[in-house]
Amino acid sequence: MKARTSWDVVCTVDDLVPESGVAVWTEDGPVAVFYLPHRLPALFAVSHTDPFTGKNVLARGITGDLKGQPVVASPLYKQHFNLQTGQCLEDEEVAVKTYPVLLDGNNVRVEIPATNKESAVA
Amino acid sequence: MSKKTLIVIGNGMVGHHFLEQLVETPAAADFDIKVFGEEKLLAYDRVHLSEYFGGSTHADLAMGTADWYAENHIDLRLGEQVTGIDRANQTITTPMGDYAYDELVLATGSYPFVPPIKGNEHPHCLVYRTLEDLDSIRASADGVKTGVVVGGGLLGLEAANALKSLGLDAHVVEFAPRLMPVQLDSDGGALLKHKIEELGVQVHTEKATTEIVEGEEARLRMNFSDDTHLETDLIVFSAGIRPQDALARSSELAMGERGGIVINDQCTTSDPHIHAIGECALWSEKIFGLVAPGYTMARTLASVLNGDTEAAFTGADMSTKLKLLGVDVGSIGDAHAQTPGARNIRFNDEQAGHYRRMVISEDGKTLLGAILVGDNSHYDTLLQYALNGIELPENPETLILPESQGGAPALGPDALPETASICSCHNVSKGDICGVIDAGCTDLAGVKAETKASTGCGGCAALLKNVVDSELEKRGVEVSKDICEHFPYSRQDLFNIVKVNGIRTFRTLIRDHGKGHGCDICKPAVASILATCWNEHILATDHVPLQDTNDTFMANMQKNGTYSIVPRVPGGEITPDKLIVLGEVAKEYNLYTKITGGQRVDLFGATLSELPEIWEKLIAAGFETGHAYGKSLRTVKSCVGSTWCRYGVQDSVGMAIFLENRYKGLRSPHKLKMAVSGCTRECAEAQSKDIGVIATENGWNLYVCGNGGMRPRHADLFATDLSDEELISAIDRVLMFYVRTADRLQRTSVWMENLEGGLEYLKQVVLEDSLGIGEELEKHMADLVDTYQCEWKTAVEDPEKRKRFREFVNAPSKKDPVQQWTTERDQRRPLLEEEPA
């Protein structure tokens, strides 16, 4: 089968909150979309699931920058995750999944990998 | 090799401490340990015995737990009294049988001395030593008016405090011409007497009781040798202690002339397999009636049994610092100037009620001893001079003069020698601290974890921080007070910048005064400062991204990502109708329901999208947000007060509701708790709160900067017999001064401990307006009170704000799939990770 990805529309610009995140539901599960207007590009998408607890909360964390990297702090136990790479700053063995994200007119699109898309159909 | 048997007789504070020390050593593996205690209760803290009447239970006062004994394989036999020791066969006898020992430790403590006064066997003549004694005192005090303590020493005054807290008119009868004759001189004793009498305890010195007979107006009458008398309903003897040495005596161990089991420097008795520690032991002709020397003996003996041949008990410093009935008393070293040639410097401020005396050596170079009454703020510095023989400054009197008269600041950490004891609870010296810093510790938390310093009573916290900061600086480690990498300022600096420059958004602040874009440390801190200064809604667009998730969604996130809801119930007073609404809402949304420690109801398990719906219903029923999610006022707990209670003297519920409504919504460096009690029985536990109010016949007593929780701190008595207006004015000022000057996440208790000048300074600022900012503080508070809004009400009425509560912005009906639930005790709760789905 041919590998195929799709750029799914997950929300519009009006749904975004500057300097913060919102959660969206995708065919790959829950994803957190962050909007940091001071950065270029300003959109980041990572898995909404906190890898330390398995709970869907990351969009509700505080964003910011640490040593120049854009980060979100988990609202549960406050570990920081790099929004570009998904890497956890406190534990090098832990990372969250990241997704390509772009703005298309008023629509925010997140790229969902095909393999996951198929397995997620349930 | 088979294990040897170690038997410990006595399960008091010292016996327990010995076991704690021993199990930390390799030797613990060599012994089967058995412990026999005469009392049926696990070792408990006798130093804080009077708190039992303040609501503490045995569990609060207990030193360890039965689990701890089990985990360490110690066979604990409480209530089994040892009746004999057979030294030849190395066995002990109890009513249950004989037990063999290889090593025997006597930690039998002491018993209260009851003077041989005729009539002292009366059933309402009691002693003050054990929790059982306290139960007897409580029973005896029920429904009567007056109680007398015989003995004006340290324990006697504690006992008087206990009687007072039972609501009795308390008297202290002392044989000597002054209170605390061992620790204080006549001026100090006189001031203490004056202060204690102001607090409502009558003091009778130079009274020798000749007999106790039936009273006319009360149960008993005490006749004194000067032909006067005193009527009372009960008498508590607290006239000193005697070593509990009967077992040792009957087994013919070497004893002191006036009792006490003779021990050598290794805490071993005249029998090499029998050891004694604590108040039953006589070392160098001395019995030590304080807990610290007992602990030192316990540590020594644990080392000796672990094979340390160097370990030795070499005496103990008997310096004491305490608060008796709320009055500071300190006594250091040779307080009575018994060293030949010793000279005195005295400072006596009758106006302020402060007395300080230094005893210095003939050459004026070293401090031999000191006495402090009314204010212990000089104690730590003086103790370091005395203990370490640090050379006194040229004008030693500056050490005890008030700062306004050229008094010296506290002794800098650099002046302390390596041997200086910083934490006496865990025996940590300055050298130990330098050691762990050299080994790689670079912050205060690390030093605390490595050395345990300041994790006991916590009294050395400020000193420890100074030493650690100074040592780190010396090693070139920059001790940064910066809040985080984005702002080179402390919270207090930021507060001033925001206030002075009229800054209203985080963006402006970080652009003009910081760098980068902020983080989860500085953003909530600045949000709190902005709220205190301008009181805009926390969900205003500019402030939303600054808040912790709890503030953003105005609920408390729980471990499974759902939220709990705590509506405000001012003073804990709630109508049946409102209670029914809470029940109905909880039922509708299947919320786990629990009563909080602060007299409110907590509803758990709401999802993000349910929050606004639930609040709509709560607001319609008249509820407001309870700010359980915020660094702000939680609850003002109250007892039922004079409206219902037979003992209440003021309307504590009314005052609690007033205070809660006044300060609700105030954003502060950390959460705030308050309580109001309607009488000195203190059922609302106000003395464990940031702001505690206790009713008196004449008004209100105000306590400040107490804390329960992780590191409990007894609140300090701040002002007495205040009118309603005076009370509000004082609380306004204390709170606003705290909000302006505290560090991020610093509770009032730690703020107070780090406040230069401490309680006295705060009193000057608030009560005497020494900085001239009193009115401004009150005006600032009034502005905040006037601009209060219920955040939830504003939020549910605003469709834009409600948008934030969508679980998934593109799928309104989608439920979070990871939530899994089960039912326990008829309520829904999250399924735990280890439980099968």
Side-chain angles (χ1 to χ4, degrees):
Chain A
M1 182 187 293
K2 210 167 139 190
R4 188 176 55 91
T5 64
S6 65
W7 286 87
D8 292 359
V9 175
V10 293
C11 63
T12 67
V13 169
D14 293 340
D15 293 317
L16 298 174
V17 183
E19 308 286 353
S20 189
V22 295
V24 297
W25 186 261
T26 74
E27 291 187 46
D28 198 26
V31 169
V33 179
F34 295 92
Y35 174 39
L36 306 185
H38 61 267
R39 288 202 170 250
L40 267 178
L43 291 182
F44 301 87
V46 303
S47 166
H48 184 38
T49 309
D50 172 23
F52 289 94
T53 58
K55 305 304 175 196
N56 293 322
V57 294
L58 284 189
R60 300 178 223 159
I62 295 182
T63 64
D65 63 332
L66 287 178
K67 308 218 158 58
Q69 317 169 60
V71 295
V72 62
S74 165
L76 276 167
Y77 297 106
K78 316 297 178 196
Q79 297 92 349
H80 298 91
F81 299 94
N82 182 317
L83 290 175
Q84 279 164 335
T85 64
Q87 179 61 48
C88 173
L89 272 53
E90 283 79 14
D91 186 341
E92 62 179 36
E93 291 179 7
V94 177
V96 290
K97 191 168 175 181
T98 59
Y99 298 86
V101 55
L102 58 78
L103 194 60
D104 171 16
N106 261 342
N107 290 332
V108 176
R109 291 181 183 271
V110 170
E111 187 180 29
I112 302 300
T115 45
N116 289 328
K117 193 165 178 170
E118 276 158 21
S119 64
V121 178
Chain B
M1 192 182 84
S2 71
K3 284 193 178 184
K4 294 187 283 185
T5 300
L6 172 73
I7 290 181
V8 180
I9 305 179
N11 187 231
M13 294 175 78
V14 171
H16 178 77
H17 193 74
F18 165 72
L19 293 167
E20 279 189 338
Q21 301 297 316
L22 187 69
V23 298
E24 294 292 319
T25 69
D30 301 339
F31 290 110
D32 279 325
I33 305 173
K34 286 187 178 18
V35 179
F36 293 85
E38 189 182 348
E39 282 184 72
K40 289 194 180 65
L41 296 173
L42 262 173
Y44 52 85
D45 183 351
R46 282 187 223 275
V47 176
H48 296 102
L49 208 52
S50 64
E51 291 171 13
Y52 191 55
F53 289 152
S56 290
T57 62
H58 169 250
D60 297 328
L61 295 172
M63 314 287 300
T65 61
D67 287 347
W68 182 85
Y69 280 83
E71 279 160 22
N72 288 289
H73 309 292
I74 297 172
D75 183 8
L76 178 65
R77 293 162 173 268
L78 294 177
E80 187 170 346
Q81 190 181 0
V82 177
T83 53
I85 303 172
D86 180 346
R87 290 169 50 195
N89 292 310
Q90 295 196 194
T91 59
I92 61 156
T93 304
T94 79
M96 314 292 288
D98 291 350
Y99 301 87
Y101 68 81
D102 295 291
E103 300 291 337
L104 180 64
V105 177
L106 303 173
T108 45
S110 62
Y111 62 89
F113 170 63
V114 177
I117 298 166
K118 201 174 142 205
N120 66 12
E121 71 293 338
H122 191 282
H124 290 285
C125 288
L126 306 157
V127 293
Y128 182 82
R129 169 83 187 166
T130 65
L131 289 178
E132 268 182 40
D133 294 338
L134 265 65
D135 286 334
S136 307
I137 292 173
R138 196 194 321 245
S140 174
D142 187 36
V144 298
K145 269 181 64 183
T146 314
V148 168
V149 175
V150 175
L154 199 158
L155 263 182
L157 295 178
E158 276 282 324
N161 191 25
L163 293 187
K164 190 164 164 271
S165 65
L166 285 172
L168 293 181
D169 291 334
H171 296 253
V172 173
V173 172
E174 167 61 44
F175 179 71
R178 63 174 180 273
L179 292 173
M180 298 188 68
V182 180
Q183 291 89 358
L184 300 184
D185 58 9
S186 53
D187 284 349
L191 176 60
L192 179 61
K193 174 173 185 235
H194 176 70
K195 291 202 153 217
I196 286 177
E197 286 186 334
E198 274 187 348
L199 295 168
V201 175
Q202 302 266 354
V203 178
H204 314 265
T205 50
E206 285 186 275
K207 292 282 182 196
T209 313
T210 51
E211 59 174 356
I212 298 161
V213 297
E214 293 287 323
E216 285 171 15
E217 278 148 30
R219 285 181 188 139
L220 303 167
R221 169 179 287 195
M222 304 170 72
N223 287 324
F224 302 123
S225 58
D226 58 3
D227 290 333
T228 58
H229 67 263
L230 179 64
E231 296 238 328
T232 178
D233 294 304
L234 65 110
I235 298 172
V236 176
F237 286 104
S238 182
I241 55 159
R242 294 291 181 268
Q244 185 73 268
D245 54 11
L247 268 179
R249 191 180 298 277
S250 63
S251 54
E252 296 184 336
L253 290 172
M255 306 294 290
E257 264 177 47
R258 289 163 57 198
I261 309 161
V262 175
I263 58 168
N264 61 16
D265 291 355
Q266 281 67 47
C267 300
T268 300
T269 68
S270 55
D271 181 324
H273 295 291
I274 302 182
H275 317 272
I277 51 177
E279 292 177 341
C280 65
L282 184 75
W283 177 85
S284 187
E285 308 277 308
K286 285 195 280 271
I287 296 277
F288 293 92
L290 291 177
V291 70
Y295 279 3
T296 309
M297 290 183 196
R299 280 196 289 269
T300 305
L301 181 58
S303 301
V304 167
L305 291 176
N306 190 38
D308 179 354
T309 51
E310 306 266 293
F313 178 77
T314 54
D317 173 49
M318 295 296 278
S319 301
T320 37
K321 168 167 92 166
L322 8 103
K323 218 179 233 333
L324 291 166
L325 294 133
V327 181
D328 277 348
V329 178
S331 174
I332 294 172
D334 181 12
H336 292 298
Q338 284 162 341
T339 311
R343 296 180 194 169
N344 293 291
I345 302 175
R346 291 189 175 88
F347 171 81
N348 196 352
D349 180 348
E350 291 182 359
Q351 179 66 22
H354 296 167
Y355 174 72
R356 305 193 264 279
R357 169 181 175 178
M358 290 164 67
V359 179
I360 61 178
S361 60
E362 194 169 9
D363 60 8
K365 287 197 169 148
T366 49
L367 182 69
L368 302 171
I371 292 173
L372 303 168
V373 177
D375 172 18
N376 265 344
S377 57
H378 300 72
Y379 181 90
D380 292 343
T381 297
L382 292 174
L383 182 68
Q384 291 298 336
Y385 273 104
L387 283 185
N388 300 303
I390 300 168
E391 188 166 330
L392 287 167
E394 205 170 322
N395 303 310
E397 70 276 7
T398 57
L399 292 176
I400 54 172
L401 283 177
E403 271 184 58
S404 57
Q405 293 168 35
L411 187 59
D414 286 351
L416 299 174
E418 294 280 297
T419 52
S421 169
I422 305 298
C423 170
S424 51
C425 294
H426 291 283
N427 201 22
V428 182
S429 69
K430 181 179 164 188
D432 296 333
I433 291 164
C434 294
V436 299
I437 289 175
D438 286 336
C441 261
T442 54
D443 61 11
L444 183 62
V447 170
K448 278 169 125 171
E450 283 293 316
T451 62
K452 286 193 174 179
S454 196
T455 60
C457 72
C460 62
L463 180 61
L464 177 70
K465 182 173 187 305
N466 285 339
V467 170
V468 171
D469 284 354
S470 150
E471 291 301 317
L472 286 174
E473 264 170 33
K474 270 197 240 166
R475 286 161 179 74
V477 180
E478 198 178 323
V479 182
S480 169
K481 291 198 168 65
D482 300 355
I483 190 164
C484 67
E485 67 177 61
H486 304 100
F487 290 100
Y489 300 106
S490 69
R491 181 186 179 277
Q492 189 179 349
D493 296 334
L494 285 176
F495 189 99
N496 292 332
I497 291 170
V498 166
K499 185 91 185 154
V500 172
N501 298 304
I503 294 173
R504 284 177 175 263
T505 65
F506 180 81
R507 225 173 326 147
T508 317
L509 183 68
I510 197 161
R511 186 190 66 206
D512 295 347
H513 301 276
K515 58 175 190 234
H517 303 283
C519 65
D520 55 315
I521 304 291
C522 59
K523 282 182 172 179
V526 170
S528 162
I529 291 172
L530 291 172
T532 310
C533 287
W534 319 119
N535 219 17
E536 292 171 3
H537 196 280
I538 57 169
L539 294 193
T541 317
D542 278 330
H543 305 324
V544 165
L546 305 180
Q547 316 285 353
D548 239 325
T549 186
N550 286 359
D551 274 297
T552 308
F553 299 108
M554 300 182 291
N556 293 46
M557 185 185 272
Q558 301 299 331
K559 64 190 289 185
N560 68 346
T562 64
Y563 292 85
S564 72
I565 296 165
V566 188
R568 191 165 290 291
V569 180
E573 182 185 84
I574 186 166
T575 62
D577 281 340
K578 280 185 150 182
L579 211 52
I580 287 167
V581 170
L582 289 183
E584 283 170 350
V585 169
K587 206 165 173 181
E588 182 178 348
Y589 291 89
N590 201 2
L591 304 175
Y592 170 87
T593 306
K594 191 173 187 306
I595 307 294
T596 71
Q599 304 184 330
R600 317 205 273 187
V601 182
D602 206 342
L603 310 171
F604 289 78
T607 63
L608 201 54
S609 53
E610 287 170 341
L611 288 173
E613 297 172 30
I614 291 172
W615 269 107
E616 240 168 8
K617 295 185 172 146
L618 293 174
I619 288 165
F623 283 102
E624 288 186 320
T625 181
H627 294 101
Y629 46 83
K631 306 295 179 219
S632 50
L633 175 68
R634 298 296 166 84
T635 185
V636 183
K637 188 172 173 179
S638 70
C639 69
V640 77
S642 56
T643 316
W644 290 91
C645 175
R646 286 175 293 147
Y647 303 106
V649 294
Q650 306 281 356
D651 175 15
S652 47
V653 178
M655 180 53 81
I657 292 172
F658 180 84
L659 292 179
E660 187 155 343
N661 283 326
R662 181 169 183 79
Y663 301 116
K664 65 189 176 190
L666 169 70
R667 277 339 202 246
S668 62
H670 211 309
K671 61 185 169 189
L672 287 168
K673 298 186 177 184
M674 305 189 188
V676 183
S677 276
C679 77
T680 57
R681 284 173 180 75
E682 241 285 68
C683 297
E685 298 164 335
Q687 291 166 96
S688 66
K689 306 296 185 200
D690 298 282
I691 297 290
V693 178
I694 301 179
T696 70
E697 299 278 352
N698 309 315
W700 308 97
N701 284 355
L702 173 61
Y703 290 77
V704 299
C705 303
N707 196 3
M710 187 161 68
R711 226 191 82 197
R713 180 179 192 275
H714 209 278
D716 292 309
L717 179 61
F718 191 71
T720 53
D721 291 334
L722 301 173
S723 68
D724 290 4
E725 293 73 28
E726 290 166 333
L727 178 70
I728 306 304
S729 151
I731 298 176
D732 275 3
R733 293 180 182 197
V734 170
L735 284 180
M736 200 42 86
F737 193 57
Y738 160 66
V739 168
R740 289 185 173 198
T741 60
D743 275 342
R744 171 185 164 266
L745 297 186
Q746 190 176 44
R747 289 292 295 268
T748 57
S749 56
V750 181
W751 171 68
M752 166 67 90
E753 279 162 20
N754 286 299
L755 194 63
E756 231 170 276
L759 180 64
E760 285 309 309
Y761 175 70
L762 187 61
K763 281 186 186 171
Q764 285 163 13
V765 172
V766 169
L767 302 175
E768 294 160 29
D769 200 9
S770 60
L771 301 180
I773 57 170
E775 268 185 42
E776 188 198 328
L777 294 175
E778 284 184 45
K779 175 162 185 317
H780 188 173
M781 184 64 82
D783 290 345
L784 292 179
V785 172
D786 289 344
T787 52
Y788 167 82
Q789 53 182 320
C790 170
E791 295 153 3
W792 260 115
K793 186 161 189 295
T794 318
V796 295
E797 288 167 356
D798 180 345
E800 271 306 305
K801 291 193 171 81
R802 279 185 81 142
K803 273 171 68 179
R804 281 293 279 163
F805 295 87
R806 292 176 295 176
E807 195 120 344
F808 300 103
V809 297
N810 59 346
S813 57
K814 184 86 195 167
K815 291 273 176 223
D816 185 350
V818 305
Q819 303 304 344
Q820 292 193 302
W821 304 93
T822 182
T823 298
E824 186 173 42
R825 292 183 292 277
D826 305 326
Q827 295 209 67
R828 187 180 72 151
R829 68 154 173 83
L831 197 67
L832 301 176
E833 238 169 74
E834 58 272 20
E835 289 175 321

